[in-house]
Amino acid sequence: VVLLTGGPGFGKTELVRHWSASAEGRFTGGELYLDLAATRSSAAVSTAVGDALAEGLLGLGVAEASLPTTLAARASMFRTRTATAPVLVVLDDVGEAAHVRSLIPTAPGSMVVATCGRRLEELVGLDGADLHVVEPLDAGHALELLSALCPAQVAAADPADVRMLVDLCGGVPIALRVAAARLRTDRGLRLVDLVEQVRADLGALALGEDTSVTAVLTATYRVLPADAQRVYRIFGAAEGLELTGPAVAAALDVTPEAAGAVLSVLLATNLVEERPGHRYRWYALTARHAADQAAGDPDQGVEPALRRLVRSYLVGAMTADVTVMGDRLRYGRLDQWSGETRAGTVGADPAAQADAAEKADTAEKADTAEKADTAEKADTARSRALRWLAAERHNLRHTVHLAVRLDDDVSAWQLTEALAALYLNRRSPAELVQVCVTGIGAALRLGRGEVAARLRCLASRGYTDLGQLTEARTCVDAALAFADDGRYPRLLASVWEFRGRVAAAEGDLPGAVTEFRRSLAANEAIGEARGAAIARYFLGCALDTDRRPDEALEPHLDRAGHGIDE
């Protein structure tokens, strides 16, 4: 018994037909092809199975007048009729494991191939069926199929437009077949025109009312349980977020167990593909269809769910930021969201963090062993926080943009600020720049110039790492223009440090030394020991690079090391 499963329109039936043609002559007892799409809609499974058995017996040569009237008698006759020679039974579009069990031939060498839109775990686990998941075609094979279906239209089109049409079809065979049919039958339709139509509306992949990609997807969507339909709409509107148990739990405001059950349904119906780390994402066409369903949300619950999702990721990222970076300059306040849920389990809640901070102060007076134990625990928490940030990197980046679309600029800039903990530790300069640009815009719309200046400094790090020094210089100059008015002394000290880094990258070592000295003086003036230690470190590095090692080591690098350790 082989079960072929896959998303709607993925080509399961066509694949079986292709394979069975190659198996001609192997099954001397006969080949049966039974379409269960009609019979399985019956309210009673037994009725559907009985109808399928009747059809199978007729296919094996039993006269209609000789068909038994009961399910048990039909099943017995089917076993007898398939006992002498290998039989192939193809069951298309089954809905239940019971649809398959009574139609398994008894002769050695027989085979059952069933197609189903769901993963029938019962058939696999209890009946030993081999499960094969049919995935969308990759880009190369999708192009091969499209070219085979409408060779003249593909040959006449710009290769870039052909690739775009392939991408828009998401590798789904039914979409490619409908696109090809439209190009063949509508003589006035150019491939580039079809690309624009499909880009604007998924409904363009249709041939009248009978064959429509949207209709195929809608049929699957409508049979989902209510909570799964809600997730379909919510994450369709989220545009790009991967689905995880904690994220679904936050969006629906349900328990992790309930969220896991919803994800199991989506996976079983092949609407999502599984990624490493218990993460899931929509297939390309499913994502577009889900977004369309969100636009017509019947219960108006999508936007509140998206706001819960944003807030959840914000609190998770801010908690991780505090755990990883400690007492750095930040304007977002975690205690502002102390009553909120979060998408991850990293770190502790604000109250627990305050308790941890008090214990850390007490540990300063403890003996060496206790200090080492505290440091080890802090390092473990930091590592765990970084792992969470790295695992959620894709979703966190998309959540920044989602917050902007929801006009939640407060969450957008605070999430941007928190993500520096990830990007500065895992060196992702391009993403750092992209996210900072979004966060800067959000801060400026709120009139938070100090936040924009801080994010411009962080963006300068990304630009510097990318070798885009003109852009880095523009960022730190704009930050200085705002901060150099005496209102934000800690911000100003930080700006001097970032300006020094840019100057060093530009090869202006005397300028870098000057900027780092300003940062050191500004930090010492306000009692920022950690900031002063960092400024000393970079000052010492600049002096050493400028071939002044004696001046760099004792007054700066040595003292910087002690300051950072403290």
Side-chain angles (χ1 to χ4, degrees):
V1 180
V2 173
L3 175 64
L4 284 180
T5 186
F10 282 17
K12 300 179 290 295
T13 299
E14 200 66 28
L15 177 59
V16 173
R17 287 176 179 169
H18 180 78
W19 172 82
S20 60
S22 69
E24 186 176 356
R26 173 178 167 185
F27 299 97
T28 57
E31 298 180 3
L32 299 177
Y33 298 86
L34 306 179
D35 185 356
L36 275 74
T39 58
R40 72 180 175 84
S41 63
S42 171
V45 173
S46 60
T47 302
V49 173
D51 291 345
L53 281 167
E55 187 178 345
L57 289 169
L58 291 172
L60 291 170
V62 176
E64 187 168 1
S66 301
L67 284 176
T69 57
T70 67
L71 173 61
R74 288 179 180 180
S76 177
M77 180 178 282
F78 184 83
R79 288 193 295 271
T80 301
R81 286 278 180 160
T82 60
T84 57
V87 177
L88 170 65
V89 179
V90 175
L91 304 175
D92 196 22
D93 207 3
V94 304
E96 306 285 344
H99 293 161
V100 180
R101 289 195 182 107
S102 295
L103 289 158
I104 299 176
T106 53
S110 295
M111 188 169 185
V112 177
V113 180
T115 72
C116 182
R118 295 190 300 113
R119 304 185 185 195
L120 299 177
E121 290 88 352
E122 183 182 354
L123 191 67
V124 176
L126 298 181
D127 297 281
D130 289 331
L131 176 67
H132 294 271
V133 179
V134 180
E135 300 282 353
L137 302 174
D138 61 29
H141 288 104
L143 176 58
E144 185 179 340
L145 176 59
L146 187 67
S147 300
L149 293 171
C150 54
Q153 291 79 1
V154 169
D158 186 317
D161 292 328
V162 176
R163 289 193 298 272
M164 179 57 68
L165 181 58
V166 166
D167 288 344
L168 289 171
C169 289
V172 176
I174 191 173
L176 293 160
R177 294 175 69 88
V178 169
R182 286 202 59 196
L183 290 169
R184 290 197 314 269
T185 57
D186 188 345
R187 295 182 181 276
L189 180 65
R190 298 178 303 164
L191 191 144
V192 64
D193 300 326
L194 181 57
V195 166
E196 291 308 312
Q197 291 178 18
V198 177
R199 197 200 307 266
D201 182 7
L202 187 60
L205 288 174
L207 295 171
E209 297 181 359
D210 295 332
T211 306
S212 165
V213 171
T214 298
V216 169
L217 291 166
T218 300
T220 301
Y221 165 73
R222 285 178 177 169
V223 299
L224 292 174
D227 275 352
Q229 287 188 353
R230 288 182 63 203
V231 169
Y232 194 85
R233 297 192 298 271
I234 292 165
F235 282 83
E239 293 184 9
L241 261 68
E242 294 179 338
L243 291 80
T244 68
V248 169
L252 294 183
D253 195 19
V254 298
T255 64
E257 293 75 18
V262 173
L263 283 171
S264 295
V265 169
L266 294 174
L267 182 62
T269 50
N270 297 292
L271 291 171
V272 294
E273 62 173 321
E274 192 167 6
R275 310 283 292 167
H278 303 291
R279 309 180 71 84
Y280 307 86
R281 69 180 180 189
W282 303 122
Y283 291 105
L285 286 186
T286 309
R288 291 193 61 185
H289 183 262
D292 289 344
Q293 297 305 308
D297 180 30
D299 62 10
Q300 303 299 309
V302 166
E303 184 173 325
L306 292 177
R307 293 188 182 279
R308 285 194 298 270
L309 195 57
V310 168
R311 197 57 45 78
S312 178
Y313 270 114
L314 172 61
V315 175
M318 293 177 78
T319 304
D321 171 36
V322 170
T323 305
V324 173
M325 304 295 286
D327 183 27
R328 72 177 177 114
L329 173 61
R330 56 172 65 84
Y331 289 102
R333 291 180 16 252
L334 184 58
D335 59 2
Q336 178 183 359
W337 315 113
S338 58
E340 303 288 341
T341 58
R342 63 170 182 260
T345 56
V346 63
D349 61 29
Q353 286 184 356
D355 182 57
E358 182 177 348
K359 289 179 179 178
D361 290 338
T362 303
E364 289 294 324
K365 302 174 183 178
D367 60 26
T368 304
E370 290 175 344
K371 285 185 177 181
D373 182 60
T374 300
E376 183 178 351
K377 289 179 180 178
D379 186 61
T380 300
R382 183 177 184 276
S383 297
R384 187 168 63 249
L386 273 174
R387 286 197 301 272
W388 183 84
L389 286 168
E392 293 290 351
R393 175 175 172 173
H394 173 90
N395 276 9
L396 288 166
R397 183 176 73 251
H398 279 76
T399 302
V400 175
H401 300 291
L402 174 59
V404 171
R405 287 196 288 113
L406 293 170
D407 294 323
D408 186 0
D409 285 331
V410 172
S411 293
W413 75 253
Q414 291 191 358
L415 189 52
T416 299
E417 182 183 55
L419 283 179
L422 169 65
Y423 295 135
L424 296 181
N425 280 276
R426 294 297 174 91
R427 285 294 186 269
S428 304
E431 285 186 25
L432 174 61
V433 167
Q434 292 167 4
V435 171
C436 281
V437 167
T438 303
I440 290 166
L444 291 176
R445 285 191 293 273
L446 293 169
R448 297 294 301 270
E450 77 282 14
V451 173
R454 173 62 177 164
L455 296 182
R456 283 189 169 112
C457 288
L458 295 173
S460 75
R461 282 286 304 275
Y463 281 126
T464 299
D465 288 349
L466 292 170
Q468 300 175 15
L469 299 183
T470 300
E471 290 81 357
R473 173 58 63 183
T474 299
C475 283
V476 292
D477 286 349
L480 180 62
F482 176 86
D484 196 17
D485 66 356
R487 290 184 299 162
Y488 303 97
R490 191 177 182 187
L491 172 63
L492 181 60
S494 179
V495 171
W496 290 128
E497 175 200 318
F498 280 97
R499 285 173 61 85
R501 296 193 193 196
V502 173
E506 291 171 332
D508 178 12
L509 292 176
V513 168
T514 298
E515 304 283 28
F516 289 136
R517 289 191 190 280
R518 287 171 173 167
S519 178
L520 174 59
N523 275 297
E524 289 182 333
I526 58 176
E528 280 292 330
R530 184 172 182 273
I534 292 173
R536 282 191 183 280
Y537 167 73
F538 285 112
L539 175 57
C541 290
L543 289 167
D544 185 56
T545 304
D546 200 28
R547 298 183 180 181
R548 297 151 68 180
D550 292 340
E551 188 179 348
L553 186 60
E554 191 280 323
H556 296 303
L557 290 178
D558 281 348
R559 292 179 62 183
H562 295 307
I564 292 173
D565 283 343
E566 292 173 0

